[in-house]
Amino acid sequence: MEFQSIERAPEAFQQPIAEEDITAICRRVFGAHVQVSSAVELGAGMYNNTYRVQVSGQEQPVVLRVAPPAAKQFRSERELMRNEYATVPWLTSIASLMPQVVAADWSHEVIDRDYLVQTLLDGVPAPDHLGSYPRTTWPHFFRQLGEIARQVHAIRGPRFGPVAGPGYATWAQALQASFADIAADVDSVGLDAADLRTIAALVGERSVVFDEVRVPRMLAGDLWTVNVMLDAHAAEPTITGVFDLDRTWWGDPAADWTMHMALAKPGTERDAFWDSYGPLERSAEASLRAFVYQARHIGAIRLERHRLGNAEGVAGTYDDMARVQASLG
């Protein structure tokens, strides 16, 4: 087997699996006698370990995604792969853009980690290809992203919270639970979570504002350029695939990471996102909710920066949160 694994420090969050583990997984999924001719680890993601694998008898390579060991997962990121798997039946409106699941294994009988085997999407990762186009064509890309987000947000769910559960009867309850998990994770790595708990308390005090959101809708959780594939040869940047929707949950579409990113650089090509998505609500209540959603994103960013060893970035999240709190009064 041609085996290529990314070398990482022993203390790094992401840790590869062994060559023999990949063989064992492929024989569990494709049959006891298959041969693996190549397994190449892909380095774009920062959570799961992902490999492009060529197996005998399979015309196309497959993608093997391996979750972090359970002991390394934060409470707020628990069993994300299982959450993605539970999401697939809800996403038929964008099924043509998504990889198909070949196999999912939570048994830990082969390796002591969850894993998914999926089809390989056509195209080129957007971060590697978008920059090859003139910036005058970029609005075309962001309009497509807005349309995909609109389709995802149109999906109604049975309750609030992560797609795989736990579920909550109200949006305020789901938000408070999310803040509680993020704050507990921040505590667990020795950082101060007081600002997160202050925001969570505000959600409880102003629950009537958050519970104006009565219909749980699908939030993609992590849909942006890093999780999109582009046609390699199209004259304009054309989306051919969407992947890694493992942070999905049911709630207010305005709380989605996609919306946070679309709003992040006004006056740029990103404004074209709203051409296809449509306008956001501009009421005082929506503004209050938006600041709280921003605080939740900052808490998640704090954890990710800590995981990546970015101490300066972690410190910056406290300044960002202070600005949000000032806006909330």
Side-chain angles (χ1 to χ4, degrees), residues 73-201:
Q73 297 178 25
F74 285 133
R75 286 176 52 168
S76 58
E77 297 177 327
R78 187 185 300 111
E79 298 181 343
L80 291 181
M81 189 171 286
R82 301 187 189 195
N83 189 65
E84 178 175 348
Y85 185 75
T87 303
V88 171
W90 294 94
L91 290 174
T92 54
S93 59
I94 62 166
S96 63
L97 296 173
M98 295 177 59
Q100 297 177 16
V101 176
V102 177
D105 187 355
W106 322 142
S107 71
H108 294 195
E109 292 174 353
V110 181
I111 61 171
D112 193 26
R113 294 161 68 173
D114 291 352
Y115 65 85
L116 272 174
V117 179
Q118 298 174 303
T119 55
L120 179 68
L121 289 172
D122 292 333
V124 181
D128 298 337
H129 194 36
L130 184 60
S132 67
Y133 289 97
R135 291 191 75 109
T136 53
T137 67
W138 288 17
H140 179 68
F141 169 80
F142 287 107
R143 287 188 196 98
Q144 294 169 78
L145 207 56
E147 172 60 22
I148 294 168
R150 188 187 64 78
Q151 289 179 281
V152 172
H153 292 166
I155 302 167
R156 298 181 176 219
R159 70 280 188 278
F160 294 97
V163 172
Y168 300 89
T170 71
W171 179 225
Q173 291 172 354
L175 269 180
Q176 286 182 291
S178 179
F179 273 106
D181 282 347
I182 296 171
D185 289 334
V186 170
D187 286 338
S188 74
V189 297
L191 297 172
D192 185 2
D195 51 5
L196 287 159
R197 291 195 168 89
T198 298
I199 302 293

Side-chain angles (χ1 to χ4, degrees), residues 207-254:
S207 62
V208 65
V209 174
F210 295 91
D211 290 340
E212 289 179 355
V213 179
R214 294 185 175 87
V215 179
R217 294 187 180 271
M218 174 75 74
L219 279 60
D222 200 20
L223 173 64
W224 198 243
T225 55
V226 294
N227 292 333
V228 166
M229 302 291 281
L230 296 180
D231 187 309
H233 306 294
E236 294 182 300
T238 301
I239 295 175
T240 59
V242 173
F243 58 94
D244 283 6
L245 297 182
D246 52 6
R247 297 174 187 269
T248 52
W249 57 319
W250 300 112
D252 179 1

Side-chain angles (χ1 to χ4, degrees), residues 251-263:
D252 179 1
D256 206 349
W257 176 251
T258 310
M259 314 303 269
H260 174 77
M261 294 299 289
L263 289 164

Side-chain angles (χ1 to χ4, degrees), residues 44-68:
M46 295 185 292
Y47 193 75
N48 302 305
N49 291 86
T50 304
Y51 301 83
R52 185 178 64 246
V53 181
Q54 183 65 62
V55 180
S56 63
Q58 299 293 313
E59 185 176 343
Q60 297 293 329
V62 294
V63 171
L64 167 64
R65 294 169 59 212
V66 183

